Amino acid sequence: HRENLKQNLDLKYGILFTNYTIQMTGIEEQYQKFKQSPPIVRNLPTVSGSITWSRHLFHRISVPMEQFPAQQLKHQTYKKPLKQYNKIGYTLFSYEYLWR
């Protein structure tokens, strides 16, 4: 409840969110690079392997996003990364839908 600790915690969340944004950009580049022929786990058919790859990428962006507090994400500086998160999530779900 101390203001000094809240400011320090907000600073730490800002640093974590910056690193998370860099990770999201890397995942987006990975999707663009491999969307035509995704890396498939051994012994999986093409369809289920592509869906698994897509779900794995979505899992990599969604789990860290769930860890950030909701009041932190409402801040104006996080608007652009949230838009990027929603865009990547929609793209991955549409990719999975195409394979079904």
Side-chain angles (χ1 to χ4, degrees), residues 13-48:
Y13 275 126
I15 293 169
L16 287 172
F17 205 78
T18 302
N19 291 338
Y20 172 67
T21 304
I22 293 169
Q23 181 182 0
M24 269 196 315
T25 305
I27 291 171
E28 186 175 18
E29 290 171 358
Q30 184 180 5
Y31 169 76
Q32 292 299 329
K33 184 177 178 183
F34 293 114
K35 69 181 176 183
Q36 296 299 326
S37 61
I40 297 175
V41 180
R42 191 175 6 166
N43 296 332
L44 277 182
T46 306
V47 174
S48 60

Side-chain angles (χ1 to χ4, degrees), residues 6-78:
K6 286 183 182 180
Q7 289 175 354
N8 194 13
L9 194 58
D10 288 342
L11 180 65
K12 300 287 185 186
Y13 275 126
I15 293 169
L16 287 172
F17 205 78
T18 302
N19 291 338
Y20 172 67
T21 304
I22 293 169
Q23 181 182 0
M24 269 196 315
T25 305
I27 291 171
E28 186 175 18
E29 290 171 358
Q30 184 180 5
Y31 169 76
Q32 292 299 329
K33 184 177 178 183
F34 293 114
K35 69 181 176 183
Q36 296 299 326
S37 61
I40 297 175
V41 180
R42 191 175 6 166
N43 296 332
L44 277 182
T46 306
V47 174
S48 60
S50 298
I51 290 173
T52 303
W53 175 73
S54 170
R55 287 184 181 180
H56 172 71
L57 290 180
F58 182 74
H59 181 73
R60 285 180 53 196
I61 65 168
S62 65
V63 171
M65 181 62 82
E66 294 169 357
Q67 301 302 317
F68 290 107
Q71 69 270 16
Q72 187 76 22
L73 296 175
K74 292 178 183 176
H75 198 269
Q76 188 68 20
T77 57
Y78 301 128

